[in-house]
């Protein structure tokens, strides 16, 4: 908040510091914010006091017979000297006496109970602001909406002094370049709307080996929409997206509530009204070619997460830190390649042993050039053996002859792999954006205009487990046929029916659950990608020194 050009600290953020210093830092310093059922319920309760009432200042009434009477809602006050500001829910006035009342959504405690620390700090600062404005404050109140009860408490000097001292400590904490550690009172984290950004259980696990708690829900059950039919138009009506065919006839209507992403392939038109509504709902929108190549990713323009991106630029300027991140990613990738190979081929034990050896070398690589050489050797070993996992002899023979080639894809299996990798890159870019990281600056992959280098980095872990697994399933389960491919000047490409089958198989795979090796809980692959992005963000912010990426058996 601003006061005549100077920064003012919200008393609500000071109360958040009293509850959890890390929560305060994430909200007040890094600008992160999110809603859950608890915050939404609180906002609904506060609607009754969010309509401001004009209030004359006490000093304006000096020499007048009338003084302020009645009750005031949503009263904004400043204290320039202490750099504080607050929006008071409700204030009861009687002449020059004032009683601030804070609205809470919970149930009132037992009669003899004292104020919670958070309420003491917030009401103490409210009393201070009212006193600074010239009013006498002898008591403060809390309204508990769950049982419709109002309680009053004395506003003695200790209440105000404790709150001012807490504000001073919060300002000092905000000056630090590192986040406070997560609270050890992890019961506070259960209903916190920023738990997914904070990762309290995971961070505590990495710092002190305490067990991590399974996130809820284990799956990201939001709607992920794909539009690929040429000529389709997407508009909006109210809080719904309207899909129309080439003749502008409505064919489908989907609510924006619960929608997480929209991916557009080829010549699909999206109206500016629909884009604006999706930006307001924080729906990620991605545009790609019919071949799956990412064209651009639309961002809502949020200015939060600057501290995270600043830490990313500083961390990746350190060549040793880049090597450490790249080593962890490639070691996990080679381990997962070995897993996929041994799951799908019984006779490739020698290749499995070779990959195991290369994984060990990757973990101890002394330079980026050495690491890239190890990755290349692992890729050759892996793809030379992967053709034996294909049950269609014609497709297997073509892939064994061509090997892994991207541009252009010379055969159906290469075309499936390339398209799956493109989808996976889009997922990783979305996850990194949600974690407030810049997808363009990576460790293993060098910066190149138009390439999301960090997304290419993080997807290395998931290439075998998601993309390669989906491509194998499409061929081996006969979900896709040779007629679903077409040969063009750009190589072998999937037709519309083939893409539809691939999208379906990919989404099914993304919703399968897998166990994280460090945290010992199960979450689906999409949430696992988001978890990895946030773990990298925490590592870049200095929350912990070690990196643990997904490796399955």
């Amino acid at each position: 908040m601003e006061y005549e050009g100077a920064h003012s600290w919200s008393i609500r953020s000071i109360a958040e510091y009293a509850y959890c210093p890390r929560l305060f830092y994430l909200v007040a310093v890094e600008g992160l914010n999110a809603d859950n059922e608890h915050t939404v319920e609180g906002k609904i309760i506060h609607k009754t006091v969010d309509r401001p009432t004009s209030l004359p200042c006490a000093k304006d009434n000096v020499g007048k017979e009338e003084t302020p009477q009645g009750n005031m809602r949503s009263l904004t006050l400043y204290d320039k000297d202490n750099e504080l500001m607050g929006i008071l829910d409700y204030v009861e006035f009687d002449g020059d006496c004032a009683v601030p009342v804070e609205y809470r959504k919970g149930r009132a405690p037992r009669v003899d109970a004292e104020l919670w620390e958070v309420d003491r700090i917030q009401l103490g600062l409210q009393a201070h602001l009212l006193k600074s404005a010239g009013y006498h404050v002898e008591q403060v109140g809390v309204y508990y909406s769950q049982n419709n009860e109002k309680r009053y408490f004395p506003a003695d000097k200790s209440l105000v002094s404790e709150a001012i001292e807490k504000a001073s400590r919060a300002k000092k904490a905000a000056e630090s370049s590192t986040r406070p550690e997560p609270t050890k009172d992890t019961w506070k984290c259960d209903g916190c709307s920023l738990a997914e950004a904070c990762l309290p259980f995971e961070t505590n696990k990495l710092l002190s080996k305490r067990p991590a708690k399974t996130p809820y829900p284990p799956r990201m059950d939001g709607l992920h929409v794909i539009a690929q039919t040429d000529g389709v138009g997407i508009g909006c009506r109210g809080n719904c997206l309207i899909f129309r065919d080439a003749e502008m006839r409505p064919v489908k209507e989907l609510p924006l509530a619960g929608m997480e992403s929209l991916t557009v392939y080829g010549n699909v038109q999206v109206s500016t009204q629909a884009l604006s509504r999706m930006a307001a709902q924080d729906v990620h929108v991605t545009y790609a070619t019919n071949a799956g190549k990412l064209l651009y990713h639309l961002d809502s323009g949020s200015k939060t997460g600057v501290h995270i991106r600043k830490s990313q630029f500083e961390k990746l300027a350190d060549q040793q830190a880049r090597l450490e991140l790249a080593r962890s990613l490639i070691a996990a990738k080679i381990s997962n390649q070995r897993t996929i190979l041994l799951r799908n081929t019984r006779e490739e034990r020698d290749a499995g042993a070779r990959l195991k050896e290369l994984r060990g070398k990757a973990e101890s690589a002394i330079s980026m050039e050495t690491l890239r050489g190890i990755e290349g050797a692992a890729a050759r070993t892996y793809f030379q053996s992967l053709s034996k996992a294909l049950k269609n002899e014609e497709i297997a023979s073509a892939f064994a002859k061509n090997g892994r080639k991207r541009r252009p894809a010379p055969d159906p299996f290469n075309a499936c792999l390339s398209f799956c990798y493109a989808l996976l890159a889009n997922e990783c870019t979305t996850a990194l954006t949600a974690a407030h990281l810049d997808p363009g600056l990576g460790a293993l992959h060098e910066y190149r205009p138009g390439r999301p280098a960090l997304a290419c980095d993080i997807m290395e872990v998931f290439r075998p487990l998601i993309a390669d697994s989906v491509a194998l399933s499409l061929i081996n389960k006969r979900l896709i046929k040779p007629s679903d491919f077409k040969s063009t000047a750009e190589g072998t490409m999937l037709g519309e029916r083939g893409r539809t089958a691939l999208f379906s198989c990919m989404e099914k795979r993304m919703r399968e659950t897998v166990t994280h090796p460090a945290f010992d809980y199960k979450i689906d692959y999409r949430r696992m990608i988001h978890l990895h992005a946030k773990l990298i963000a925490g590592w870049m912010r200095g929350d912990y020194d070690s990196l643990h990426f997904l490796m399955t058996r």
Side-chain angles (χ1 to χ4, degrees):
M1 299 293 181
E2 301 294 328
Y3 178 82
E4 296 181 358
H7 183 274
S8 295
W9 292 99
S10 163
I11 62 174
R12 177 184 173 183
S13 67
I14 306 300
E16 287 172 342
Y17 176 82
Y19 184 76
C20 173
R22 187 174 173 91
L23 174 64
F24 159 79
Y25 195 94
L26 292 175
V27 175
V29 180
E30 295 190 8
L32 306 186
N33 219 328
D35 279 324
N36 63 7
E37 65 272 23
H38 302 294
T39 60
V40 171
E41 184 181 353
K43 289 178 180 179
I44 292 173
I45 292 169
H46 271 77
K47 279 186 177 180
T48 58
V49 291
D50 281 345
R51 298 186 300 274
T53 304
S54 59
L55 171 70
C57 294
K59 61 183 180 181
D60 294 336
N61 290 278
V62 176
K64 299 180 181 180
E65 293 184 0
E66 293 185 359
T67 54
Q69 300 288 334
N71 305 320
M72 303 291 171
R73 300 181 306 270
S74 196
L75 173 63
T76 302
L77 294 174
Y78 292 91
D79 175 11
K80 183 179 179 181
D81 295 335
N82 289 290
E83 298 178 326
L84 293 172
M85 69 81 58
I87 302 176
L88 283 60
D89 288 346
Y90 197 71
V91 184
E92 299 171 351
F93 286 100
D94 184 7
D96 60 356
C97 294
V99 179
V101 179
E102 181 66 19
Y103 271 53
R104 294 298 187 200
K105 74 180 184 69
R107 180 178 293 275
R110 64 180 187 273
V111 176
D112 59 342
E114 296 182 353
L115 278 169
W116 289 96
E117 182 185 15
V118 174
D119 293 335
R120 286 203 314 271
I121 300 305
Q122 191 153 354
L123 286 167
L125 291 174
Q126 290 181 9
H128 168 74
L129 290 176
L130 285 165
K131 288 181 178 181
S132 299
Y135 295 98
H136 299 291
V137 182
E138 297 181 356
Q139 60 180 355
V140 295
V142 181
Y143 171 74
Y144 300 96
S145 64
Q146 193 166 339
N147 54 348
N148 194 26
E149 182 178 346
K150 188 186 294 184
R151 296 270 185 90
Y152 292 98
F153 303 87
D156 51 25
K157 290 182 179 180
S158 63
L159 182 75
V160 176
S161 61
E162 179 189 3
I164 294 296
E165 192 274 335
K166 189 71 72 173
S168 177
R169 288 167 57 185
K171 295 174 192 176
K172 186 175 181 180
E175 295 173 359
S176 174
S177 60
T178 59
R179 296 169 172 174
E181 290 187 4
T183 177
K184 298 302 186 290
D185 299 326
T186 50
W187 60 268
K188 294 181 177 180
C189 306
D190 290 338
C192 180
S193 63
L194 282 181
E196 285 199 19
C198 173
L199 298 180
F201 303 107
E202 291 80 0
T203 302
N204 280 332
K205 166 76 172 180
L206 295 174
L207 291 175
S208 60
K209 309 301 181 183
R210 297 176 66 183
K213 182 178 179 180
T214 303
Y216 178 82
R219 291 181 173 86
M220 296 182 70
D221 288 327
L223 194 61
H224 298 269
V225 181
I226 294 173
Q228 61 154 335
T229 303
D230 286 350
V232 164
I234 303 175
C236 70
R237 183 170 59 218
N239 284 319
C240 292
L241 290 185
I242 308 298
F243 294 79
R244 302 178 185 274
D245 60 17
E247 284 73 37
M248 297 303 292
R249 294 172 300 194
V251 292
K252 198 171 190 64
E253 182 173 327
L254 292 174
L256 279 168
M259 186 180 294
E260 290 191 11
S261 70
L262 170 69
T263 306
V264 175
Y265 293 92
N267 299 319
V268 175
Q269 305 297 320
V270 185
S271 71
T272 55
Q273 292 86 349
L275 290 173
S276 299
R277 190 61 58 88
M278 285 187 284
Q281 297 280 349
D282 201 24
V283 176
H284 300 283
V285 181
T286 301
Y287 281 80
T289 66
N290 280 326
K293 181 182 178 182
L294 176 67
L295 293 176
Y296 50 90
H297 184 87
L298 299 185
D299 192 287
S300 61
S302 170
K303 301 300 187 293
T304 61
V306 173
H307 289 74
I308 297 176
R309 290 190 288 277
K310 180 174 179 288
S311 296
Q312 176 188 0
F313 299 146
E314 293 172 349
K315 191 83 169 180
L316 295 182
D318 181 350
Q319 295 302 313
Q320 193 58 37
R322 288 184 62 194
L323 179 60
E324 181 183 352
L325 175 57
R327 276 196 303 239
S328 298
L329 291 165
I330 295 306
K333 174 188 178 181
I334 296 174
S335 176
N336 292 331
Q337 285 177 327
R338 179 175 180 270
T339 297
I340 291 298
L341 204 58
L342 295 180
R343 281 180 185 174
N344 292 276
T345 60
R346 296 184 178 181
E347 64 274 12
E348 293 302 311
R349 300 297 173 186
D350 291 342
R354 174 64 174 154
L355 289 173
K356 185 176 181 180
E357 177 190 353
L358 289 171
R359 174 195 164 185
K361 290 182 178 180
E363 291 174 333
S364 57
I366 59 173
S367 69
M368 198 70 77
E369 290 72 21
T370 302
L371 182 62
R372 291 191 178 110
I374 294 168
E375 182 199 15
R380 285 191 296 273
T381 300
Y382 174 67
F383 284 116
Q384 284 171 2
S385 300
L386 194 61
S387 62
K388 297 183 175 109
L390 293 167
K391 296 179 180 179
N392 184 302
E393 292 184 6
E394 181 182 350
I395 292 177
S397 176
F399 184 69
K401 177 183 177 181
N402 296 317
R404 172 67 185 130
K405 291 184 180 178
R406 298 180 298 165
R407 302 188 185 95
D411 58 76
F413 191 62
N414 266 304
C416 288
L417 286 175
S418 294
F419 206 100
C420 288
Y421 290 156
L423 295 182
L424 184 57
N426 295 345
E427 291 279 356
C428 292
T429 301
T430 298
L432 291 168
T433 303
H436 306 287
L437 290 166
D438 187 337
L441 183 63
L444 177 68
H445 293 81
E446 295 289 349
Y447 166 75
R448 193 168 67 200
R451 178 167 72 176
L454 189 57
C456 293
D457 284 353
I458 194 175
M459 72 180 281
E460 297 294 352
V461 178
F462 298 96
R463 281 181 190 263
L465 299 176
I466 298 177
D468 297 355
S469 178
V470 168
L472 286 170
S473 295
L474 286 168
I475 302 299
N476 292 342
K477 294 181 180 179
R478 300 179 182 178
L479 301 174
I480 208 165
K481 302 175 183 177
S483 59
D484 295 324
F485 297 89
K486 56 183 179 181
S487 296
T488 68
E490 296 179 349
T492 303
M493 295 179 62
L494 281 160
E496 184 174 327
R497 184 192 173 281
R499 291 197 304 268
T500 300
L502 190 148
F503 292 144
S504 177
C505 193
M506 188 76 166
E507 185 61 27
K508 182 179 179 181
R509 183 64 170 171
M510 295 297 286
R511 290 182 178 274
E512 291 180 8
T513 57
V514 63
T515 301
H516 192 284
F519 306 132
D520 298 324
Y521 55 57
K522 281 190 173 184
I523 53 178
D524 72 7
Y525 275 107
R526 180 170 281 118
R527 186 157 187 169
M528 186 68 75
I529 293 173
H530 281 256
L531 173 63
H532 278 57
K534 289 165 185 172
L535 286 171
I536 291 175
W539 175 74
M540 290 178 173
R541 288 290 288 138
D543 288 354
Y544 32 78
D545 298 325
S546 57
L547 288 163
H548 296 271
F549 295 124
L550 177 63
M551 289 183 280
T552 61
R553 297 177 182 177

